Amino acid sequence: MKAYVFPGQGAQFTGMGKELYENSTVARELFEKANEILGFRITDIMFEGTAEELKETKVTQPAVFLHSVILAKTLENFKPDMVAGHSLGEFSALVANGALSFEDGLKLVSKRALAMQKACEIKPSTMAAVLNLDDKIVEDICASIDGVVVAANYNCPGQLVISGEYSAVELACEKMKEAGAKRALILPVGGAFHSPMMEPAREELAAAIEATTFSTPICPVYQNVTASAVSDADEIKKNLIIQLTAPVKWTQSVNQMIADGATSFTEVGPGKVLVGLVNKINKEVETISA
């Protein structure tokens, strides 16, 4: 069975999508439609912009989404048996499996980016990568700290990202190192994604998601929140709303997809981050970068 996976924020690179635009009429039409929907020429920033310009919140998430979705729409024999996306990538996955239209997906991603930016400005917050420490130890240390700090991204065995208030994350990093972590490193991100700090963004996005029509997908999506196969449109919506303040269960999702019959994973979008994570989770499955 074929699984297709879609990357999240951080996978962007300068010049992304330019080749697609130049070599495919379908891609060109979709990119131009995206420029209209967003009200600015995101293609100019994607194709010719600097890394700094690409890092702007209103640009990054729609750019990664567009690269992934448009690439999926131009692939030959794109017939997924299951899909999953890492954080933002879940929206790409939902357009690819027909649960969301291209237009609605892009509008939601744009709203999500701006809502997250606003939430980041309310209180200083951040994320940190913790390497080579058991998940349970990381969770216990987070729970022992006064202040908001939680496990946010279960990326692969030995790689967990924590998220929360700046001071709480810093203290957690010190305790992780004392407990034997190989590294506990503050990440250059705008704020505490996938933590309670994103509650204002969740509320804002919830209204937009509720007002959007979701269809029954062509194949199940393994959602970040549940790490299990979901095909019911209402359940997909509910999980998508919870996603902003809940952890990304990537390790658990990949293991479940394999348990449910996935034999190959194709990463659709910029970069090869997810292929690398899948290889660390399970060395037996085939991985492909589209």
Side-chain angles (χ1 to χ4, degrees):
M1 289 174 85
K2 287 183 180 176
Y4 285 81
V5 291
F6 298 82
Q9 199 165 336
Q12 69 274 7
F13 63 90
T14 52
M16 63 189 285
K18 191 176 182 182
E19 212 176 298
L20 271 173
Y21 186 96
E22 288 171 348
N23 297 328
S24 160
T25 312
V26 172
R28 203 155 43 246
E29 284 170 3
L30 289 169
F31 274 123
E32 288 302 341
K33 190 185 273 189
N35 287 333
E36 278 174 42
I37 290 168
L38 294 170
F40 67 97
R41 290 194 63 79
I42 193 169
T43 49
D44 291 352
I45 305 170
M46 288 173 71
F47 305 163
E48 314 294 342
T50 62
E52 274 308 303
E53 288 170 313
L54 260 183
K55 262 176 26 187
E56 268 188 77
T57 302
K58 70 169 186 176
V59 174
T60 314
Q61 294 193 27
V64 173
F65 167 86
L66 287 170
H67 190 285
S68 293
V69 168
I70 293 171
L71 178 57
K73 286 187 183 291
T74 58
L75 288 177
E76 279 181 43
N77 303 319
F78 179 73
K79 293 192 180 78
D81 295 304
M82 51 183 84
V83 294
H86 191 290
S87 189
L88 158 74
E90 193 158 283
F91 287 83
S92 312
L94 290 169
V95 173
N97 80 349
L100 261 179
S101 71
F102 173 78
E103 294 81 356
D104 285 342
L106 179 57
K107 285 174 191 168
L108 286 177
V109 164
S110 180
K111 277 206 173 86
R112 180 183 192 265
L114 297 172
M116 286 169 79
Q117 178 62 35
K118 267 195 265 179
C120 291
E121 288 161 6
I122 293 168
K123 190 169 185 187
S125 60
T126 192
M127 301 176 86
V130 181
L131 302 184
N132 285 24
L133 201 60
D134 188 76
D135 289 355
K136 181 76 171 75
I137 296 172
V138 174
E139 290 162 358
D140 288 348
I141 290 172
C142 286
S144 75
I145 285 168
D146 194 20
V148 178
V149 57
V150 294
N153 296 352
Y154 294 81
N155 284 335
C156 66
Q159 191 193 117
L160 211 165
V161 175
I162 60 172
S163 182
E165 291 169 316
Y166 209 98
S167 55
V169 171
E170 277 189 320
L171 182 56
C173 283
E174 286 171 30
K175 292 199 171 193
M176 304 283 177
K177 286 176 194 161
E178 286 166 17
K182 186 178 171 186
R183 285 173 88 183
L185 187 73
I186 301 275
L187 296 171
V189 293
F193 307 138
H194 301 287
S195 84
M197 306 293 286
M198 286 293 117
E199 182 56 31
R202 189 196 67 78
E203 285 172 13
E204 203 173 315
L205 193 64
I209 288 172
E210 290 295 1
T212 302
T213 303
F214 282 65
S215 307
T216 303
I218 56 167
C219 70
V221 57
Y222 285 68
Q223 290 189 277
N224 293 175
V225 170
T226 61
S228 60
V230 185
S231 293
D232 177 75
D234 289 334
E235 197 182 336
I236 289 171
K237 267 188 178 186
K238 187 188 76 180
N239 292 334
L240 210 50
I241 291 167
I242 301 167
Q243 196 223 55
L244 271 185
T245 52
V248 174
K249 296 178 180 172
W250 189 252
T251 305
Q252 298 90 326
S253 296
V254 171
N255 280 330
Q256 192 56 53
M257 291 164 99
I258 293 166
D260 291 348
T263 50
S264 77
F265 284 78
T266 303
E267 181 167 4
V268 187
K272 295 179 180 178
V273 171
L274 298 185
V275 157
L277 294 181
V278 171
N279 285 330
K280 284 175 181 164
I281 295 164
N282 187 304
K283 290 180 172 61
E284 306 300 310
V285 293
E286 182 189 18
T287 51
I288 305 147
S289 207

